[in-house]
Every structure is written in structure tokens, then in C-alpha cells.
Amino acid sequence: DAIFTNWLNSSTSKINYDVYMDGELVAVFYMTAGNLKKSFHGKGKDPVFDLTLNVQAELVEIIKSTSYDGLKEALETSIEKDIRDLYTFGIGKETDLLHIGDGYYRRHPEQYKKLKDHYAFFLNAKSLQATDVDVTITNFNTYNYEKEKKFD
């Protein structure tokens, strides 16, 4: 979680990322994240926001043959799930792991102050409305790993 959090919050970090389909490892990527964009909406007492992330993913190894579109969709879905899981984990620990408060404070300083004064923690599970991850895969023409090689 710490490595993934650092990767999300730093546009210079790169990570290796495994993609699974139907519980089976299909590919390994080396990824760089763009800036995590936070879009706040609504005028209610609690912050409500969406997250958008652009990812550059270099395909390092493909384990199981699959289509480009299928692999891209699996990667985007997996990253979105990891972001939501990280957010939920942070909420449980009353920690703002995705630095949502910084953006909310800049856009709504008065509302942020009210929330900080009246609540122990200003985010809740319903604050995150949507996550949108857009992946660009490069180097798709990688090799298939041969598990067994027989020599004559």
C-alpha cells in the first residue's frame, strides 16, 4: 500500500504492476502515473469528489495471450479497484492518503474549516463518487514467456 500510495502521489515514481484476469497472472507492466486529478462537486456539508488518473504503462512481459483492449480494460479496472481500496483503508484509519483535503481546502477554504472544527475526520466512504483511470500501453509487442524449454 505504501508503494502504491507513493506512486499515486508522485508523478516521477514508477512501479511494477501485475495484472490478473480470472485469478490468473496475464501480464506485468512498468507504470508511471500522471497527476491524480480531484474534481469536487456539490454544495453539501461533506466533500464529494471524483478522481481521474492518466497512466503510462510499458508492457514488460505478457504471460498469457490476450487482446490489447482486454488487457487495457483489465489494467484500468485493477488500478481503479486499488485506488478505491486505498481510499477505503485510509478512511478506516482516518487518514487522507490521497491528499484530498489539500485540494478541498484550496477550492473551499471556509467549508473545509467548518468540517475540521466540527468533525474528527472530514472524509467518509460516500465522498469518493467515481474513479476514472485512462491507461496508455506502450511496447505491446513483447514476448511470451516460455515456461519450459526443451533442448535436443
Side-chain angles (χ1 to χ4, degrees), residues 111-122:
Q111 186 67 21
Y112 180 82
K113 184 176 178 349
K114 287 179 190 174
L115 288 171
K116 290 297 277 184
D117 290 344
H118 292 93
Y119 298 100
F121 188 65
F122 62 96

PDB file of all heavy atoms in Angstrom, residues 111-122:
ATOM      1  N   GLN A 111     -15.590  26.108   3.952  1.00  0.00           N
ATOM      2  CA  GLN A 111     -16.256  24.829   4.231  1.00  0.00           C
ATOM      3  C   GLN A 111     -15.274  23.847   4.874  1.00  0.00           C
ATOM      4  O   GLN A 111     -15.636  23.103   5.779  1.00  0.00           O
ATOM      5  CB  GLN A 111     -16.826  24.245   2.933  1.00  0.00           C
ATOM      6  CG  GLN A 111     -17.651  23.001   3.117  1.00  0.00           C
ATOM      7  CD  GLN A 111     -18.942  23.269   3.873  1.00  0.00           C
ATOM      8  OE1 GLN A 111     -19.427  24.390   3.946  1.00  0.00           O
ATOM      9  NE2 GLN A 111     -19.491  22.230   4.470  1.00  0.00           N
ATOM     10  N   TYR A 112     -14.038  23.844   4.408  1.00  0.00           N
ATOM     11  CA  TYR A 112     -13.009  22.968   4.979  1.00  0.00           C
ATOM     12  C   TYR A 112     -12.802  23.279   6.458  1.00  0.00           C
ATOM     13  O   TYR A 112     -12.721  22.383   7.292  1.00  0.00           O
ATOM     14  CB  TYR A 112     -11.700  23.137   4.204  1.00  0.00           C
ATOM     15  CG  TYR A 112     -10.578  22.268   4.721  1.00  0.00           C
ATOM     16  CD1 TYR A 112     -10.489  20.934   4.346  1.00  0.00           C
ATOM     17  CD2 TYR A 112      -9.606  22.778   5.574  1.00  0.00           C
ATOM     18  CE1 TYR A 112      -9.458  20.133   4.815  1.00  0.00           C
ATOM     19  CE2 TYR A 112      -8.580  21.985   6.043  1.00  0.00           C
ATOM     20  CZ  TYR A 112      -8.509  20.662   5.667  1.00  0.00           C
ATOM     21  OH  TYR A 112      -7.501  19.872   6.139  1.00  0.00           O
ATOM     22  N   LYS A 113     -12.742  24.564   6.794  1.00  0.00           N
ATOM     23  CA  LYS A 113     -12.547  24.959   8.190  1.00  0.00           C
ATOM     24  C   LYS A 113     -13.710  24.485   9.055  1.00  0.00           C
ATOM     25  O   LYS A 113     -13.506  23.971  10.158  1.00  0.00           O
ATOM     26  CB  LYS A 113     -12.384  26.472   8.294  1.00  0.00           C
ATOM     27  CG  LYS A 113     -12.087  26.945   9.712  1.00  0.00           C
ATOM     28  CD  LYS A 113     -11.834  28.424   9.747  1.00  0.00           C
ATOM     29  CE  LYS A 113     -11.571  29.003  11.102  1.00  0.00           C
ATOM     30  NZ  LYS A 113     -11.778  28.271  12.274  1.00  0.00           N
ATOM     31  N   LYS A 114     -14.938  24.613   8.550  1.00  0.00           N
ATOM     32  CA  LYS A 114     -16.108  24.142   9.307  1.00  0.00           C
ATOM     33  C   LYS A 114     -16.029  22.638   9.547  1.00  0.00           C
ATOM     34  O   LYS A 114     -16.328  22.160  10.644  1.00  0.00           O
ATOM     35  CB  LYS A 114     -17.395  24.471   8.553  1.00  0.00           C
ATOM     36  CG  LYS A 114     -17.772  25.921   8.557  1.00  0.00           C
ATOM     37  CD  LYS A 114     -19.054  26.127   7.757  1.00  0.00           C
ATOM     38  CE  LYS A 114     -19.325  27.588   7.542  1.00  0.00           C
ATOM     39  NZ  LYS A 114     -20.473  27.808   6.660  1.00  0.00           N
ATOM     40  N   LEU A 115     -15.647  21.899   8.519  1.00  0.00           N
ATOM     41  CA  LEU A 115     -15.543  20.448   8.657  1.00  0.00           C
ATOM     42  C   LEU A 115     -14.469  20.066   9.682  1.00  0.00           C
ATOM     43  O   LEU A 115     -14.678  19.174  10.501  1.00  0.00           O
ATOM     44  CB  LEU A 115     -15.226  19.797   7.313  1.00  0.00           C
ATOM     45  CG  LEU A 115     -16.350  19.774   6.294  1.00  0.00           C
ATOM     46  CD1 LEU A 115     -15.828  19.295   4.940  1.00  0.00           C
ATOM     47  CD2 LEU A 115     -17.477  18.870   6.767  1.00  0.00           C
ATOM     48  N   LYS A 116     -13.335  20.712   9.622  1.00  0.00           N
ATOM     49  CA  LYS A 116     -12.245  20.413  10.551  1.00  0.00           C
ATOM     50  C   LYS A 116     -12.624  20.759  11.988  1.00  0.00           C
ATOM     51  O   LYS A 116     -12.212  20.094  12.930  1.00  0.00           O
ATOM     52  CB  LYS A 116     -10.965  21.171  10.156  1.00  0.00           C
ATOM     53  CG  LYS A 116     -10.314  20.672   8.895  1.00  0.00           C
ATOM     54  CD  LYS A 116      -9.831  19.256   9.013  1.00  0.00           C
ATOM     55  CE  LYS A 116      -8.489  19.194   9.671  1.00  0.00           C
ATOM     56  NZ  LYS A 116      -7.914  17.865   9.739  1.00  0.00           N
ATOM     57  N   ASP A 117     -13.434  21.814  12.159  1.00  0.00           N
ATOM     58  CA  ASP A 117     -13.835  22.231  13.505  1.00  0.00           C
ATOM     59  C   ASP A 117     -14.907  21.333  14.108  1.00  0.00           C
ATOM     60  O   ASP A 117     -14.955  21.165  15.327  1.00  0.00           O
ATOM     61  CB  ASP A 117     -14.349  23.678  13.489  1.00  0.00           C
ATOM     62  CG  ASP A 117     -13.238  24.688  13.244  1.00  0.00           C
ATOM     63  OD1 ASP A 117     -12.051  24.310  13.382  1.00  0.00           O
ATOM     64  OD2 ASP A 117     -13.553  25.844  12.884  1.00  0.00           O
ATOM     65  N   HIS A 118     -15.772  20.748  13.268  1.00  0.00           N
ATOM     66  CA  HIS A 118     -16.914  20.001  13.783  1.00  0.00           C
ATOM     67  C   HIS A 118     -16.785  18.484  13.716  1.00  0.00           C
ATOM     68  O   HIS A 118     -17.544  17.779  14.357  1.00  0.00           O
ATOM     69  CB  HIS A 118     -18.194  20.433  13.044  1.00  0.00           C
ATOM     70  CG  HIS A 118     -18.588  21.829  13.356  1.00  0.00           C
ATOM     71  ND1 HIS A 118     -18.189  22.899  12.582  1.00  0.00           N
ATOM     72  CD2 HIS A 118     -19.302  22.367  14.369  1.00  0.00           C
ATOM     73  CE1 HIS A 118     -18.660  24.023  13.086  1.00  0.00           C
ATOM     74  NE2 HIS A 118     -19.345  23.727  14.174  1.00  0.00           N
ATOM     75  N   TYR A 119     -15.862  17.984  12.931  1.00  0.00           N
ATOM     76  CA  TYR A 119     -15.747  16.534  12.766  1.00  0.00           C
ATOM     77  C   TYR A 119     -14.309  16.100  13.027  1.00  0.00           C
ATOM     78  O   TYR A 119     -13.365  16.828  12.732  1.00  0.00           O
ATOM     79  CB  TYR A 119     -16.145  16.113  11.343  1.00  0.00           C
ATOM     80  CG  TYR A 119     -17.573  16.446  11.000  1.00  0.00           C
ATOM     81  CD1 TYR A 119     -17.871  17.576  10.240  1.00  0.00           C
ATOM     82  CD2 TYR A 119     -18.617  15.659  11.446  1.00  0.00           C
ATOM     83  CE1 TYR A 119     -19.175  17.906   9.928  1.00  0.00           C
ATOM     84  CE2 TYR A 119     -19.933  15.984  11.148  1.00  0.00           C
ATOM     85  CZ  TYR A 119     -20.202  17.097  10.391  1.00  0.00           C
ATOM     86  OH  TYR A 119     -21.494  17.421  10.098  1.00  0.00           O
ATOM     87  N   ALA A 120     -14.179  14.905  13.559  1.00  0.00           N
ATOM     88  CA  ALA A 120     -12.839  14.369  13.802  1.00  0.00           C
ATOM     89  C   ALA A 120     -12.118  14.121  12.482  1.00  0.00           C
ATOM     90  O   ALA A 120     -10.934  14.366  12.360  1.00  0.00           O
ATOM     91  CB  ALA A 120     -12.938  13.075  14.605  1.00  0.00           C
ATOM     92  N   PHE A 121     -12.869  13.667  11.486  1.00  0.00           N
ATOM     93  CA  PHE A 121     -12.289  13.414  10.157  1.00  0.00           C
ATOM     94  C   PHE A 121     -13.309  13.817   9.109  1.00  0.00           C
ATOM     95  O   PHE A 121     -14.483  13.485   9.214  1.00  0.00           O
ATOM     96  CB  PHE A 121     -11.913  11.936  10.021  1.00  0.00           C
ATOM     97  CG  PHE A 121     -11.137  11.625   8.773  1.00  0.00           C
ATOM     98  CD1 PHE A 121      -9.877  12.163   8.586  1.00  0.00           C
ATOM     99  CD2 PHE A 121     -11.665  10.814   7.791  1.00  0.00           C
ATOM    100  CE1 PHE A 121      -9.155  11.894   7.435  1.00  0.00           C
ATOM    101  CE2 PHE A 121     -10.949  10.541   6.639  1.00  0.00           C
ATOM    102  CZ  PHE A 121      -9.691  11.075   6.462  1.00  0.00           C
ATOM    103  N   PHE A 122     -12.896  14.544   8.101  1.00  0.00           N
ATOM    104  CA  PHE A 122     -13.826  15.197   7.182  1.00  0.00           C
ATOM    105  C   PHE A 122     -14.243  14.348   5.981  1.00  0.00           C
ATOM    106  O   PHE A 122     -15.145  14.716   5.254  1.00  0.00           O
ATOM    107  CB  PHE A 122     -13.244  16.527   6.692  1.00  0.00           C
ATOM    108  CG  PHE A 122     -11.969  16.380   5.919  1.00  0.00           C
ATOM    109  CD1 PHE A 122     -11.984  16.334   4.551  1.00  0.00           C
ATOM    110  CD2 PHE A 122     -10.755  16.260   6.582  1.00  0.00           C
ATOM    111  CE1 PHE A 122     -10.812  16.193   3.830  1.00  0.00           C
ATOM    112  CE2 PHE A 122      -9.582  16.116   5.877  1.00  0.00           C
ATOM    113  CZ  PHE A 122      -9.607  16.082   4.500  1.00  0.00           C
TER     114      PHE A 122
END
